[in-house]
Amino acid sequence: MKKVKLKVPATVANLVCGFDILGMAIHEPYDEMEITLLETPEIIIRHKDQFGLPEEPSKNVAGVVLLKIQEHLNLKNGFEVVIHKHIKPGSGLGSSAASAAGAALGANILLENILSRDEMVHFAMFGEELASGVRHADNIAPCIYGGITLVKSTNPIDIIPLNTPNLFVAAVHPQVEVKTSDARQILKKTITLKNAVEQWGNIAGLVAGIQKNDFSLIGRSLNDVIIEPVRSILIPKFDEIKMKSIEIGALGGGISGSGPSIFMLAEEKETAEKIADLMKSIYDEINIESLIYVSKVNPTGIEIIEKP
Ligand code: HSE
């Protein structure tokens, strides 16, 4: 029986100003996935974690991706998927994208690379649609491509892999749940031209900074005048964490995806560690449990641990 084992990383979507278009893979946390090709057409999903996610294929993020691939390719085979999640659902660290991207990439390996990377992104987006109601690719693309990606368009799929700057990421996940669907619902549907112009400047500056390894430009561009002012209200101590992290050396940062996790970028590992400790201590003070992660930008995305 053909089987593949994957390490599927967390991702930070939006990168502050690039709502739904920018995303970055990190090293930790990550999910473990084991996918087996079956002779018979059924899809079996098993979770080894404690998150109580549905295992019925049509209600499971990995399951719907595999059902779509099966239907598209008219497959006689099925898949058994064993998922050990470490990326908590509702963390803003790309938990659903990890399951969706892992399922698409794992199936593709078992099917001897029948799909292109963009086709994998296309099928994985059905998982995001199940989880949040919207087919966005800003977490999926960096998971599948690695590093930092720009989703220029999802229809047609047009993904631009960007340079991987030599930066460290400090992230904190306060243990309060923010559902992506809720965090999208509260957003304003229209924006002013003034805000749009400011945001375009920030996005263009951020992409240019990433491409040129210009860390000062990256820092100056990590500003969001559209989404952050609305969503940050859902995240306890957001403003304090951001301000104090920058005071101790962060280039900048903000909400990871739809939150509640917060991430900061730093040039040195020691600075990133100091920032992570600061984030934790701020949550400790108000008795909110939190998990902290320090890692580099992950240039490769999903890692294949065992090939068929
Ligand atoms: N771009 C999406 C959002 C990411 O901000 O809603 C969700 O993880």
Side-chain angles (χ1 to χ4, degrees):
M1 289 232 269
K2 281 165 89 178
K3 191 204 278 187
V4 62
K5 277 191 194 177
L6 306 172
K7 195 167 153 181
V8 190
T11 44
V12 172
N14 300 340
L15 293 183
V16 184
C17 49
F19 179 69
D20 276 2
I21 62 167
L22 290 173
M24 161 178 81
I26 55 179
H27 287 281
E28 287 195 20
Y30 60 85
D31 287 351
E32 295 166 275
M33 291 179 80
E34 210 176 283
I35 309 178
T36 309
L37 189 69
L38 304 176
E39 302 285 325
T40 47
E42 76 254 72
I43 309 270
I44 303 165
I45 311 281
R46 285 198 293 120
H47 269 277
K48 276 168 78 181
D49 45 68
Q50 307 302 313
F51 301 123
L53 294 167
E55 293 186 336
E56 197 183 314
S58 63
K59 294 189 178 140
N60 179 281
V61 167
V64 289
V65 174
L66 296 173
L67 284 168
K68 286 284 176 192
I69 292 175
Q70 201 181 35
E71 184 190 303
H72 173 78
L73 297 173
N74 216 351
L75 284 182
K76 307 241 176 320
N77 301 87
F79 301 92
E80 183 182 13
V81 189
V82 180
I83 308 173
H84 193 162
K85 268 205 166 300
H86 304 281
I87 313 167
K88 204 170 169 184
S91 59
L93 291 168
S95 181
S96 52
S99 294
L105 192 128
N108 188 48
I109 294 170
L110 295 169
L111 299 171
E112 293 166 10
N113 298 315
I114 194 166
L115 303 171
S116 69
R117 279 201 294 199
D118 288 352
E119 283 171 324
M120 288 189 261
V121 172
H122 166 76
F123 288 112
M125 278 199 297
F126 287 99
E128 287 290 49
E129 187 177 28
L130 179 75
S132 71
V134 182
R135 265 190 239 176
H136 57 92
D138 48 342
N139 291 98
I140 287 168
C143 226
I144 288 177
Y145 277 75
I148 301 180
T149 51
L150 165 66
V151 180
K152 191 188 165 304
S153 147
T154 52
N155 188 17
I157 291 177
D158 191 353
I159 290 163
I160 294 113
L162 302 180
N163 175 47
T164 304
N166 193 15
L167 288 174
F168 289 86
V169 185
V172 64
H173 174 204
Q175 303 295 292
V176 289
E177 193 179 343
V178 174
K179 283 207 175 102
T180 298
S181 47
D182 296 339
R184 293 185 79 91
Q185 214 135 43
I186 60 169
L187 298 176
K188 293 183 188 135
K189 300 290 175 280
T190 55
I191 59 171
T192 62
L193 186 59
K194 179 177 170 292
N195 277 351
V197 171
E198 206 171 324
Q199 199 85 349
W200 292 327
N202 285 328
I203 297 167
L206 181 57
V207 172
I210 291 167
Q211 294 304 84
K212 292 164 69 173
N213 282 313
D214 182 337
F215 298 156
S216 159
L217 178 55
I218 290 176
R220 297 201 306 282
S221 307
L222 285 169
N223 286 312
D224 174 6
V225 294
I226 295 170
I227 309 291
E228 185 182 286
V230 181
R231 282 186 172 169
S232 58
I233 294 159
L234 303 175
I235 305 172
K237 296 282 179 182
F238 176 82
D239 292 335
E240 185 179 335
I241 286 180
K242 187 170 173 179
M243 191 188 71
K244 290 192 172 158
S245 299
I246 292 171
E247 263 171 29
I248 63 166
L251 291 175
I255 304 171
S256 175
S258 55
S261 291
I262 302 170
F263 82 100
M264 290 286 150
L265 295 178
E267 283 181 61
E268 308 292 336
K269 189 172 184 210
E270 296 71 46
T271 314
E273 283 167 350
K274 261 183 16 198
I275 295 165
D277 289 342
L278 167 91
M279 291 163 152
K280 183 152 186 40
S281 69
I282 290 175
Y283 282 123
D284 284 349
E285 271 169 31
I286 54 165
N287 295 318
I288 292 184
E289 270 184 51
S290 64
L291 297 169
I292 48 173
Y293 305 98
V294 173
S295 80
K296 292 193 84 164
V297 182
N298 175 344
T300 46
I302 298 175
E303 201 182 315
I304 303 161
I305 303 296
E306 198 181 299
K307 279 189 181 179

